[in-house]
Amino acid sequence: MKQEQMKIWERFLKGLLVMTGILFIATGIGYLFRYLGFSEENIIIVYILGVLIIAIITVNRGWSVCYSLLSVLLFNFLFTDPRFTFFSYDYGYPVTFVTVFIAAVIVSNLTIQIRKQGYRAEQMALRTRILLETNQMLQKAKNADEMIEETARHLMRMMGKNVIYYRAEDGILSEPRFCMAEPGAAKMLYLQQRERQAAQWVFENRKRAGTGMDQYPDAHCLYLAIRNEDMVYGVIGIALEGMMMDVYEQNLILSILGECALALEKEGYNRKREEALAQAKNEQLRANLLRSISHDLRTPLTSISGNADTLLHSYDVLDEQTRKQIFTDIYDDAQWLTGLVENLLSITKIVDGSVKLHLSDQVVDDIISEALRHIDRRAAEHHIAVDCGDVLLLARMDAGLIMQVLINLVNNAVKYTPVGSNIQITAIPR
């Protein structure tokens, strides 16, 4: 309050000095004009010019009206006959004085209105530029946290005040973060329980609170919500320390917070859309995987079923070698199904994070040889070559998982390459 009173007194003294100085200057010019023989109308114009200057410098209409009245009285006192009195020999002078006073007041009002319009236009241009900078800044932010942080920094630079901000997460306010205009300022002032309560009240009620407001007026900060009609994204606190903002500053801050809320809303929609697309993609992959598994299962199951049916109905008429071959086919198909199931189990463990590695030092050549013993029997129709070099290679690995990988790779090569193709397995040190 003391600061506000000081500002009022400063503005009053400034207006008084400006008005008094211009009156003296206009009167001095009037004496000069009288000495040079200029008419009284020219002196009146000088005083009206003073009204324009007063209106431009002070903006306060009261000083212009006061100057208009004093200038008319001074002109009557100093430049009309009889001089140094407030009387006049000419009966038309009272009308002239009233007309001059009204003209001075009208000129003053017009000048003040033009200046205010220019000031408002300047404010609108500044507001547009600041909002454009805010929008560009928010577009560069990668996520919601960065958007709120950049908004707080923007307000800190613009206001020159310390800014504290809270992010709303799952319906509650997170721990406060700071953008300090004064690096050495004590953050503990803004961590007091009263400050947290003010921020929480703003979050719950979607209204302003803190210094200068009805709610929590003893707080160090003015707290405002980053919100739209449906959701509160966070709370911003500006450390005004008892100072009051004018209407323009308040509207500008609310506009910046509105831009931030729009950006956060858009970011939320984009994130949900990406999650929906990812979920749809996962569903498509899952469907494709199920179709692939169904196809892979159908082939060996059909073979097992057909071979079993042959044994059931024609066992006695089959020779020993044929029966042995059928049993071998059933065994190979069952082994292939076992490998497929193990692969599916491994994928499930990898997805849910429950896979456990059993690492040990293994001879690479032995692992490859063991894997080739379990590959598809159709591998005999291809030329498989192994090159592990002349030096014994040792590697730390999970033997079971690596063998399963090798089996899958070789089986895929066997399955999807023409009969007689060359399949090369090479192991080299890294």
Side-chain angles (χ1 to χ4, degrees), residues 71-324:
S71 63
V72 169
L73 292 176
L74 278 174
F75 178 77
N76 184 21
F77 186 79
L78 298 174
F79 299 106
T80 61
D81 297 324
R83 296 177 64 195
F84 308 114
T85 68
F86 290 104
F87 298 100
S88 176
Y89 293 142
D90 191 343
Y91 292 106
Y93 265 120
V95 176
T96 303
F97 294 153
V98 172
T99 303
V100 170
F101 176 73
I102 293 174
V105 172
I106 292 174
V107 169
S108 170
N109 288 337
L110 290 174
T111 304
I112 290 174
Q113 289 179 7
I114 291 172
R115 180 173 178 182
K116 285 185 175 180
Q117 288 177 356
Y119 180 68
R120 283 195 293 268
E122 182 181 349
Q123 285 186 324
M124 288 298 296
L126 177 61
R127 178 178 176 178
T128 302
R129 181 174 62 80
I130 290 175
L131 293 180
L132 178 61
E133 292 175 355
T134 303
N135 184 268
Q136 293 174 343
M137 171 196 69
L138 292 173
Q139 288 181 355
K140 294 179 181 178
K142 298 179 181 178
N143 52 47
D145 285 331
E146 287 190 9
M147 289 179 182
I148 296 179
E149 181 181 358
E150 289 299 326
T151 300
R153 288 180 180 174
H154 196 54
L155 289 173
M156 180 266 291
R157 290 191 294 266
M158 186 180 73
M159 300 293 296
K161 302 291 183 182
N162 298 328
V163 175
I164 180 173
Y165 62 97
Y166 299 80
R167 168 83 189 281
E169 298 176 344
D170 300 325
I172 60 174
L173 289 182
S174 64
E175 290 301 313
R177 300 178 185 177
F178 300 90
C179 290
M180 306 300 286
E182 305 168 7
K187 295 182 180 179
M188 293 302 298
L189 289 175
Y190 314 117
L191 295 175
Q192 297 175 4
Q193 184 178 4
R194 192 69 173 166
E195 304 294 320
R196 177 76 187 205
Q197 290 174 347
Q200 186 66 34
W201 189 90
V202 171
F203 176 66
E204 294 173 355
N205 295 273
R206 302 187 174 198
K207 297 179 181 179
R208 284 177 275 181
T211 182
M213 298 291 109
D214 294 333
Q215 298 292 333
Y216 301 94
D218 55 341
H220 292 282
C221 298
L222 172 65
Y223 291 95
L224 306 100
I226 305 172
R227 67 179 183 89
N228 55 19
E229 294 182 358
D230 303 320
M231 187 173 180
V232 178
Y233 297 97
V235 175
I236 291 280
I238 303 173
L240 297 179
E241 306 294 348
M243 296 179 61
M244 298 296 295
M245 294 187 297
D246 58 30
V247 175
Y248 173 75
E249 289 176 329
Q250 294 180 25
N251 291 336
L252 183 58
I253 290 174
L254 291 176
S255 298
I256 291 174
L257 296 182
E259 286 288 325
C260 181
L262 287 174
L264 289 168
E265 183 179 16
K266 182 179 179 180
E267 189 271 341
Y269 287 148
N270 290 338
R271 187 177 66 254
K272 290 179 180 179
R273 183 181 64 182
E274 291 175 359
E275 291 175 354
L277 291 174
Q279 184 176 2
K281 185 176 181 180
N282 289 337
E283 292 294 334
Q284 183 64 39
L285 290 174
R286 188 177 293 109
N288 292 339
L289 180 61
L290 289 175
R291 283 194 293 269
S292 177
I293 292 172
S294 299
H295 179 270
D296 289 342
L297 288 173
R298 187 180 296 113
T299 301
L301 286 175
T302 301
S303 176
I304 291 173
S305 177
N307 287 328
D309 182 72
T310 300
L311 290 173
L312 284 173
H313 295 90
S314 306
Y315 185 83
D316 294 333
V317 299
L318 297 174
D319 57 62
E320 183 64 23
Q321 184 179 358
T322 303
R323 288 198 297 267
K324 187 176 181 180

Side-chain angles (χ1 to χ4, degrees), residues 331-333 335-336 339 367-386 403-415 423 425:
Y331 176 79
D332 289 342
D333 288 331
Q335 287 294 104
W336 192 91
I367 296 297
I368 296 175
S369 299
E370 184 64 24
L372 293 178
R373 291 176 55 193
H374 298 84
I375 60 177
D376 193 297
R377 64 178 182 276
R378 289 175 294 180
E381 301 172 354
H382 296 69
H383 306 288
I384 300 177
V386 178
M403 279 194 293
Q404 192 171 335
V405 170
L406 290 171
I407 291 170
N408 291 339
L409 291 174
V410 175
N411 283 341
N412 284 335
V414 170
K415 183 176 180 180
I423 300 174
I425 302 173

